[in-house]
Amino acid sequence: MQNRKPGSETRSGNTFQDDVRPPARAEPGGEAIQKALTTAIRAAQADFGTVQQYDSAEDCLRIVASCGFPDQVLNLFQMVRRDTNSTCAAALTQRMRVVVGNIAASYLFVGTRELAALQQAGVAAAHSTPIIVDNGQLWGVLTVHFRRPWEDTQYDPTPMERVAVRFAECLKDGAPQQTFAYRNAEGSDTRTFQRR
């Protein structure tokens, strides 16, 4: 089997990384959130993504930014409860990252309407991570999605996790509307991400 990077190939032959940018949407005033999502997609070499904010009154996640998904998928996942069959619901419940290299073979999805909707949208794999801010409070969940499945050894979750941590730090500073900038380990701004 060829060692392939997730997101490195799509049905059309183009990828997000080739600057074929899928439509991006964010709530009003959510430019920093959209920037964090775009940065996470690039860091993970993914194809789609969402940011969901935790609604403590309803104990659910609500989409506040998305990239690459058609309306029917966004409508299905607009409000995600803990019992929804998804990586984001599992990340909400477990408060830890959830990585699924093949949603068609995952216990989270087999035989569910969520699996059918994601496959119809071209999603084959996903990585969700909770956004934990000050005093361990859950702000929400960041998820990136891939068009192709992969084996665990083919995917490094670290770049996307770094973006999530940086975004949580921005939120902790109390200014999610400020410009989000991801900095690499050396401290310089980075626009291009490569797997190590």
Side-chain angles (χ1 to χ4, degrees), residues 117-160:
L118 288 170
Q119 287 179 322
Q120 187 174 15
V123 174
H127 171 181
S128 294
T129 193
I131 306 297
I132 308 292
V133 292
D134 205 19
N135 298 323
Q137 180 182 356
L138 177 76
W139 182 89
V141 174
L142 172 63
T143 303
V144 293
H145 305 81
F146 305 84
R147 290 188 184 275
R148 302 283 186 202
W150 33 263
E151 300 294 328
D152 290 344
T153 57
Q154 294 175 306
Y155 178 66
D156 178 10
T158 308
M160 202 280 261

Side-chain angles (χ1 to χ4, degrees), residues 4 14 17 23 37 44 49-50 71 99 110 131 138 151 161 168:
R4 178 190 53 75
N14 294 320
Q17 296 74 31
L37 175 58
T50 60
D71 288 339
V99 179
V110 172
I131 306 297
L138 177 76
E151 300 294 328
E161 294 288 323

